[in-house]
Amino acid sequence: MRTFTNISAVPYSTFRFNAQLAAVTELDSVADLDNFHSDTTPVVLGEGSNTIFMQDLIAPVCRFVADSKTVTQLDPQHVLIHVEAGHNWHQLVSWAVEQQLWGIENLALIPGSVGAAPVQNIGAYGVELADSCLYVDFYHWQQRKVQRIAAGRCQFGYRDSVFKHALAGKGIIIAVGLCLSKQPLPVLGYKGLDHLPADAAISSIFEQIIAVRSSKLPDPAVLANCGSFFKNPVIAKQQYTALKAKYADMPCFIQADDSVKVPAAWLIEQQGFKAKRYGDVGCYKLQPLVVVNHGAGTPAQLEQLITAVQQQVLGAYGVQLEAEVRMLNSAGQPVR
């Protein structure tokens, strides 16, 4: 266990606002968790790729950084990968591709840690974490013990899970169990992958995902950002039909329950926000769904941009955009 006090938040958030953190504790084991005590509920943090500190943080930060993985044969065609929360997600995907293990290759280049993946139920190109997740190991602060939560009880949804609701602030994810397949299971329905052959190699899919994402998403190490800033809104089919009659080129993805997911990037771009800036905070020039910090951005500028985007999209389409990124105040509570 290591604790750092009164340090810059810049290394702990890929948006890199200039805030201060009162204390950051890194834990390597369940024993460390048992010995960790705080008078207030700690802010749980992975690699900071989906968190923005809007103020100096008084609440303590807790990071579980153990990163081992183990492989267990489930049956002739499937293996269980038990991965500790501190493991980098993209590195796990890269390893799985090298091992010819199918199921998470479409989730390549998503920033962040394995422990953060279930919280958001990360997803891309027709695949979600929920598709391969078997369980999540969760350490409860109050009970001081680890609970294995089966995937069916994680309440996975679009960018959603029980860890954002009933278990929010109640503990920390320490490991994830994934079922991966030795048998090819390509998912190629999304634009950017649909030109690949049905029998595409897992390495080809992996490389194509990286190429597509790299062509339109900035590297957080080069240009500060937290990836896709807004969720793709899901609306009723009736509302989409009415909008489609007015905006013939509006794209969509029909959901299993007949609701309709509309790309937030399209809505935002149609309102003229691509490359638009409010001071040093703006929408990325190649992908307006990504909000970037050009270097000296401020929380006030970010708030100004969010408000403008939400108001214009709501006024034009009657669709309310919701931020996907976690923005925290001094007490570690969401500001939106």
Side-chain angles (χ1 to χ4, degrees), residues 125-166:
Y125 299 97
V127 174
E128 293 181 332
L129 175 85
D131 299 328
S132 57
C133 183
L134 288 181
Y135 60 80
V136 175
D137 285 350
F138 186 81
Y139 182 91
H140 290 265
W141 296 131
Q142 187 171 13
Q143 299 173 18
R144 294 284 165 178
K145 68 177 184 179
V146 177
Q147 175 189 8
R148 176 156 293 180
I149 305 173
R153 296 179 54 220
C154 289
Q155 300 175 20
F156 288 129
Y158 172 59
R159 300 295 184 271
D160 202 17
S161 72
V162 69
F163 308 105
K164 282 188 169 184
H165 301 287

Side-chain angles (χ1 to χ4, degrees), residues 80-269:
L80 164 67
I81 314 298
H82 178 89
V83 195
E84 290 187 296
H87 200 296
N88 176 268
W89 175 260
H90 177 69
Q91 289 179 8
L92 175 66
V93 176
S94 180
W95 172 85
V97 169
E98 290 174 358
Q99 304 301 312
Q100 298 286 302
L101 295 173
W102 293 74
I104 57 175
E105 60 280 355
N106 286 38
L107 305 180
L109 216 61
I110 294 179
S113 65
V114 168
V119 180
Q120 285 286 98
N121 184 26
I122 58 172
Y125 299 97
V127 174
E128 293 181 332
L129 175 85
D131 299 328
S132 57
C133 183
L134 288 181
Y135 60 80
V136 175
D137 285 350
F138 186 81
Y139 182 91
H140 290 265
W141 296 131
Q142 187 171 13
Q143 299 173 18
R144 294 284 165 178
K145 68 177 184 179
V146 177
Q147 175 189 8
R148 176 156 293 180
I149 305 173
R153 296 179 54 220
C154 289
Q155 300 175 20
F156 288 129
Y158 172 59
R159 300 295 184 271
D160 202 17
S161 72
V162 69
F163 308 105
K164 282 188 169 184
H165 301 287
L167 292 180
K170 301 294 179 62
I172 185 170
I173 292 171
I174 64 168
V176 176
L178 301 174
C179 177
L180 302 184
S181 173
K182 295 181 178 181
Q183 181 178 353
L185 297 170
V187 178
L188 306 174
Y190 265 61
K191 183 178 180 181
L193 301 179
D194 48 5
H195 69 285
L196 294 174
D199 61 349
I202 191 171
S203 58
S204 297
I205 298 171
F206 175 72
E207 290 164 5
Q208 180 64 17
I209 293 285
I210 291 175
V212 172
R213 290 182 67 91
S214 298
S215 70
K216 61 182 180 179
L217 301 176
D219 182 348
V222 178
L223 181 59
N225 73 90
C226 282
S228 297
F229 197 90
F230 296 97
K231 296 180 183 180
N232 291 319
V234 178
I235 62 178
K237 188 174 183 180
Q238 183 179 5
Q239 182 182 4
Y240 176 75
T241 301
L243 287 170
K244 184 72 170 179
K246 188 175 181 181
Y247 307 101
D249 59 343
M250 177 181 282
C252 76
F253 302 99
I254 307 299
Q255 305 300 289
D257 62 359
D258 219 27
S259 61
V260 180
K261 184 187 294 182
V262 179
W266 187 90
L267 301 173
I268 296 167
E269 183 169 354

Side-chain angles (χ1 to χ4, degrees), residues 7-21 48 53:
I7 58 174
S8 171
V10 171
Y12 296 95
S13 167
T14 58
F15 209 77
R16 299 199 286 275
F17 273 164
N18 187 25
Q20 291 291 117
L21 306 180
F53 298 104

